[in-house]
């Protein structure tokens, strides 16, 4: 990494590109705020893998930032944002995350691991056990997560503020992408740390979550909430920024189309089961057929389809039934 690759997005606030090797997301935008008589703040840390850690270490070195003087802020618990945090934090410094995502990250929010609970729901929906095992083996949310024994995350609630350098960051609760994701308004600047709530050239994955009845409904409500802010400097978790309000409108239109597609697929199938509904929807991935999707991508696709099923079911647009093979749906 060179200084040319580090972007100063506001005076004293820097974007450090962190490569996500082998992942279609390509890279994470980690942000660093230099302290002025207070601690530095590092926002999001990449997967728990050496390439992410090396990129962050080099970026911080070029900025003259020492982790001994740096707190960490996590926008949400996904491994590509949180994986390196437990290894990077130094004694007497803090890792901040929303109170809800802290519970998921530490395994105290729901009765069991998220992956086991997702596997149980897939079984209930008739997904083949061999496929579940294959997906388990390679999903990065398990393989590249941070140290699960770390339990010292500091919880944040709506409206809480952190100070770093000349800036105040105010927490905004935006559930959907994860149950407790937060955006952070950089007060008085027009800038906002977005995590994965609003991305500009890819669409955030909205999946089902244990303990959440309607993740997609939560996400769409959170888009309406965040749209009320006058954001002129959007700082997304991946790729490049764009027009904030225009992108929110496009994301809402995208999900309206996807919901209609999901319902149409269910209508055509008649007695529709999750695996076939997911395979009947369109996905931007290079594969000969749904059955040829890499196992990790099928994990994400099945979860995303479930979030659309939950949304439609709660609004009476489809009905759910169960037989000896598991749940099935009809329009």
């Amino acid at each position: 990494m060179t200084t040319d690759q580090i972007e100063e997005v506001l005076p004293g606030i820097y974007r450090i590109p962190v490569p996500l090797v082998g992942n279609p997301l390509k890279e994470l935008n980690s942000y660093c705020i230099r302290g002025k008589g207070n601690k530095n703040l590092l926002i999001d840390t990449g997967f728990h893998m050496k390439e992410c850690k090396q990129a962050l270490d080099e970026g911080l070195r070029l900025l003259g930032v020492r982790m001994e003087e740096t707190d960490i802020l996590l926008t949400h618990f996904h491994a590509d944002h949180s994986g390196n945090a437990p290894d990077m934090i130094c004694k007497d410094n803090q890792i901040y995350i929303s109170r809800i995502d802290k519970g998921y990250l530490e395994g105290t929010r729901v009765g069991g691991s998220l992956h086991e609970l997702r596997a149980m729901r897939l079984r209930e929906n008739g997904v083949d056990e061999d496929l579940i095992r294959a997906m388990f083996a390679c999903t990065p949310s398990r393989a590249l997560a941070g140290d699960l024994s770390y339990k010292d995350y500091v919880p944040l609630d709506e409206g809480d503020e952190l100070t770093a350098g000349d800036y105040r960051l105010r927490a905004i609760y935006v559930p959907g992408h994860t149950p407790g994701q937060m955006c952070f308004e950089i007060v008085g600047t027009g800038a906002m740390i977005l995590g994965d709530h609003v991305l500009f050239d890819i669409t955030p994955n909205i999946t089902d979550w244990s303990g959440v009845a309607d993740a997609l409904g939560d996400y769409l409500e959170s888009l309406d909430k965040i749209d009320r802010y006058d954001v002129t400097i959007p700082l997304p978790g991946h790729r490049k920024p764009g027009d904030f309000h225009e992108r929110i409108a496009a994301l809402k239109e995208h999900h309206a189309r996807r919901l209609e597609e999901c319902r149409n697929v269910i209508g055509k199938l008649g007695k529709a089961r999750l695996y076939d509904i997911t395979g009947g929807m369109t996905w931007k991935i290079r594969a000969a057929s749904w059955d040829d999707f890499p196992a990790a991508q099928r994990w994400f696709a099945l979860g995303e389809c479930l979030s659309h099923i939950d949304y439609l079911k709660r609004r009476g647009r489809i009905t759910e039934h169960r037989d000896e093979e598991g749940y099935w749906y009809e329009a």
Side-chain angles (χ1 to χ4, degrees):
M1 182 179 295
T2 65
T3 52
D4 291 342
Q5 294 172 279
I6 298 173
E7 177 187 4
E8 189 171 19
V9 296
L10 279 170
I13 303 181
Y14 303 88
R15 182 186 73 86
I16 303 172
V18 179
L20 303 175
V21 178
N23 190 283
L25 289 171
K26 298 182 181 178
E27 68 180 23
L28 168 80
N29 295 329
S30 181
Y31 297 95
C32 181
I33 304 178
R34 271 202 186 121
K36 287 188 176 180
N38 51 23
K39 288 183 182 178
N40 310 301
L41 187 65
L42 179 65
I43 303 165
D44 291 341
T45 62
F47 283 129
H48 187 217
M49 61 191 304
K50 65 179 182 180
E51 291 87 351
C52 293
K53 178 72 161 48
Q54 288 170 352
L56 273 178
D57 286 345
E58 180 63 8
L60 294 172
R61 185 190 68 79
L62 290 169
L63 291 172
V65 170
R66 300 172 64 246
M67 284 306 301
E68 290 82 359
E69 302 165 347
T70 304
D71 288 331
I72 294 175
L73 172 62
L74 302 176
T75 57
H76 59 294
F77 71 74
H78 279 160
D80 58 316
H81 292 254
S82 68
N84 273 317
D87 286 351
M88 293 188 69
I89 199 66
C90 293
K91 185 180 177 182
D92 299 325
N93 294 339
Q94 311 296 333
I95 304 177
Y96 297 96
I97 192 170
S98 78
R99 187 176 302 276
I100 290 174
D101 270 13
K102 168 182 161 71
Y104 280 91
L105 196 56
E106 295 179 346
T108 60
R109 186 78 187 182
V110 289
S113 84
L114 283 175
H115 294 89
E116 290 291 351
L117 291 167
R118 165 67 64 74
M120 185 184 303
R121 190 172 187 199
L122 294 176
R123 290 186 193 101
E124 291 173 346
N125 276 271
V127 177
D128 181 77
E129 190 66 36
D130 287 342
L131 174 59
I132 292 174
R133 282 196 292 269
M135 293 188 296
F136 244 54
C138 65
T139 179
S141 56
R142 289 183 78 237
L144 302 175
D147 181 1
L148 296 178
S149 68
Y150 186 87
K151 305 291 184 184
D152 292 330
Y153 299 95
V154 178
L156 295 175
D157 296 306
E158 174 87 7
D160 283 352
E161 293 188 356
L162 298 175
T163 301
D166 293 328
Y167 300 100
R168 283 187 297 127
L169 279 69
R170 183 177 296 145
I172 306 165
Y173 176 50
V174 287
H177 182 64
T178 65
Q181 182 172 219
M182 282 182 158
C183 293
F184 294 90
E185 177 189 14
I186 305 179
V187 178
T189 68
M192 185 177 288
I193 303 287
L194 297 172
D196 286 358
H197 187 52
V198 179
L199 302 175
F200 291 86
D201 62 347
I202 51 177
T203 304
N205 172 255
I206 310 301
T207 192
D208 71 309
W209 293 107
S210 296
V212 177
D214 182 17
L216 180 56
D218 289 347
Y219 177 69
L220 294 173
E221 289 180 8
S222 295
L223 285 178
D224 287 337
K225 176 180 180 178
I226 214 77
D227 200 18
R228 295 192 286 269
Y229 287 81
D230 184 18
V231 175
T232 55
I233 307 174
L235 301 174
H238 303 281
R239 313 283 184 91
K240 299 298 183 183
D243 186 289
F244 181 70
H245 300 290
E246 183 180 284
R247 182 56 178 163
I248 288 174
L251 288 168
K252 290 164 67 175
E253 290 171 7
H254 165 82
H255 283 291
R257 291 193 303 271
R258 294 290 278 171
L259 286 162
E260 195 59 32
E261 180 185 34
C262 183
R263 188 174 184 276
N264 288 341
V265 169
I266 292 170
K268 290 176 182 177
L269 289 170
K271 190 174 183 178
R273 298 192 188 275
L274 172 63
Y275 189 85
D276 297 323
I277 299 167
T278 311
M281 296 176 69
T282 53
W283 304 95
K284 288 185 177 179
I285 186 170
R286 293 179 181 177
S289 69
W290 165 232
D291 291 329
D292 293 320
F293 272 38
Q297 297 306 312
R298 276 192 277 181
W299 175 267
F300 290 118
L302 288 163
E304 188 167 322
C305 187
L306 277 169
S307 75
H308 286 70
I309 286 171
D310 288 342
Y311 183 98
L312 292 167
K313 184 175 64 176
R314 287 181 65 82
R315 288 155 183 81
R317 297 184 63 194
I318 62 173
T319 54
E320 180 182 75
H321 308 276
R322 191 170 190 176
D323 60 19
E324 66 281 357
E325 296 178 33
Y327 289 108
W328 61 273
Y329 306 91
E330 65 177 345

